[in-house]
Amino acid sequence: MQYDVVVIGSGPGGYVGAIRCAQLGLKTAVIEKYKTFGGTCLNVGCIPSKALLDSSEHFHNAAHTFTTHGINLRDLQVDMKQMIARKDDVVAQNTAGITYLFKKNKIDSYEGVGSFVDKNTILVTKSDGSTETLSAKNVIIATGSKPTVLPFLPVDKKRIITSTEALNIKEVPKTMVVIGGGVIGLELGSVYARLGTKVSVVEFLPSIISTMDAGLGKELQRVLKKTLGMEFYMGHKVTGATTKGKTVTVTAETPKGESISLEADYCIVAVGRTAYTEGLGLEKIGITVEERGKKVPVNEHLETSVKGVYAIGDVITGAMLAHKAEDEGTYVAETIAGQKPHINYNLIPGVVYTWPEVASVGLTEEQLKEKGTKYKAGSFPFKASGRAKASMDTDGFVKVLADATTDEVLGVHMIGPRAADMIAEAVIAMEFRASAEDIARTCHAHPTYTEALKEAALAATENRAIHI
């Protein structure tokens, strides 16, 4: 079969890129090694984790805040089998949606492993060993990433597990150790902490969510400790883990060089993700991946060193985010079609789906200080928000950073209720190069959580927030 574009991988980058290619009139095919579309995000990442986060949040609220609302319940129990079944159904609905969209856009799909014969010929190797060859004018590599494993800490997928296995634990563990204080570790740790698990987080760096504004990590750690009883071992270097029966013992080195050990029912290894490029046959077309992280090198148009071969998403440099991959999929599709698309990588938001949620876009205070940029900061706490008081979600704050001279918004960082949704307002404002004054003078409905963003913008412009 001959195609204008063949996409290898059907995750958020791959399927969005394929759909945009088809919309632009390009004959398109997608190769997916698994039986369902959607990649890590839809199958074992974003979607199932959010399903469990929602379920566990309902249980936690029922157990801890419903009585304050005047709702009395007795004999609360977690039906883990049903919770997992609901998660699986959510995943099934979403992956079925991709199948529908492929059919709607007349995109051909092939199940198997895609690999290069040459830059215009792709071999599809199916699970039964049979093969099929596709011809392509352009190829988009969208094979995503896989959990990073530590060489001295073998994952047995039973007691020492990755995020994938953590989505299918059939009981509520009494204890759990999470190695890694990043997004994945904190989200999954939150799921089980809400259900009653004693969760300990071991992080090598001095702060959690270390890539985000320092104030966000400090506040999130405080809230997770207060509301969920999570323990944090910061600045600790994990040295190993062993399993005996149903108990995992994790050993670590403290900042002072002393050794400690933590016992738990499960240990989740969440130390990041590595680009997945195995089996692609990149060497056959002269592409060498980077030694660190196995990333595929690309130019400013996301084209590899081989003309007509592009790469997007987790397999290239940058944040490993589904929405980044989606934008890149659209970008490459429009580039192939001869258009002049644009991505502002500074305005790709980052989100942590704990509760409170954490969201950030643009530059952090630490980055502005490092660059020597003169800026002004305005902050507003949710404890002063009428809407947050009504919902008992008063932890957290919104911070707006603006240029000291021009007042242009340079960064917005928030931790609080529905921050994941609220950050979009900041992204749009910054995309149009809004000033803090622009946000401050935009009428926000009352009572809403987004008023906190307006108040923070007011605080950043002559310190004139109204409600604090």
Side-chain angles (χ1 to χ4, degrees), residues 192-219:
Y192 290 100
R194 292 169 184 168
L195 301 179
T197 303
K198 179 65 177 177
V199 175
S200 301
V201 177
V202 183
E203 170 56 52
F204 179 70
L205 295 173
S207 63
I208 59 174
I209 52 172
S210 57
T211 59
M212 302 181 91
D213 192 273
L216 300 179
K218 184 178 180 181
E219 175 71 357

Side-chain angles (χ1 to χ4, degrees), residues 26-261:
L26 301 168
K27 185 172 175 56
T28 306
V30 173
I31 303 169
E32 173 55 57
K33 67 182 288 188
Y34 295 112
K35 293 186 180 298
T36 55
F37 300 124
T40 293
C41 178
L42 267 68
N43 289 279
V44 292
C46 320
I47 299 302
S49 64
K50 303 312 162 285
L52 289 180
L53 280 160
D54 272 357
S55 295
S56 61
E57 183 67 8
H58 286 315
F59 175 81
H60 184 263
N61 284 334
H64 297 278
T65 67
F66 273 21
T67 53
T68 307
H69 285 281
I71 303 169
N72 295 313
L73 300 173
R74 292 180 182 175
D75 302 323
L76 277 178
Q77 292 182 344
V78 176
D79 184 344
M80 206 65 190
K81 184 178 179 181
Q82 173 57 27
M83 194 175 287
I84 297 295
R86 190 195 82 90
K87 178 264 297 181
D88 291 341
D89 182 58
V90 171
V91 169
Q93 291 179 47
N94 279 274
T95 55
I98 307 302
T99 302
Y100 162 76
L101 291 172
F102 280 179
K103 289 179 180 177
K104 174 189 173 185
N105 289 281
K106 297 180 173 57
I107 296 169
D108 293 339
S109 60
Y110 297 85
E111 184 183 330
V113 176
S115 61
F116 287 93
V117 176
D118 57 50
K119 75 183 190 75
N120 298 113
T121 309
I122 306 297
L123 182 70
V124 181
T125 304
K126 301 174 184 177
S127 57
D128 62 4
S130 62
T131 61
E132 191 169 358
T133 302
L134 309 181
S135 177
K137 294 178 184 176
N138 300 277
V139 179
I140 302 175
I141 301 168
T143 45
S145 61
K146 61 181 181 179
T148 300
V149 294
L150 300 170
F152 57 87
L153 204 159
V155 172
D156 62 18
K157 296 187 178 183
K158 295 177 181 177
R159 291 289 162 176
I160 303 175
I161 60 179
T162 69
S163 57
T164 300
E165 295 78 40
L167 296 169
N168 290 298
I169 297 177
K170 296 298 191 291
E171 78 284 350
V172 179
K174 287 186 174 60
T175 52
M176 175 180 285
V177 171
V178 177
I179 301 175
V183 178
I184 297 172
L186 295 178
E187 288 183 358
L188 290 172
S190 292
V191 167
Y192 290 100
R194 292 169 184 168
L195 301 179
T197 303
K198 179 65 177 177
V199 175
S200 301
V201 177
V202 183
E203 170 56 52
F204 179 70
L205 295 173
S207 63
I208 59 174
I209 52 172
S210 57
T211 59
M212 302 181 91
D213 192 273
L216 300 179
K218 184 178 180 181
E219 175 71 357
L220 181 60
Q221 184 175 336
R222 182 191 71 81
V223 177
L224 292 179
K225 185 175 182 180
K226 179 189 76 171
T227 61
L228 300 180
M230 291 174 67
E231 290 184 345
F232 293 89
Y233 294 83
M234 308 308 299
H236 282 59
K237 179 182 178 181
V238 173
T239 54
T242 56
T243 303
K244 187 175 182 180
K246 294 183 178 181
T247 302
V248 180
T249 302
V250 177
T251 55
E253 192 177 282
T254 72
K256 295 181 179 180
E258 300 167 348
S259 295
I260 65 165
S261 62

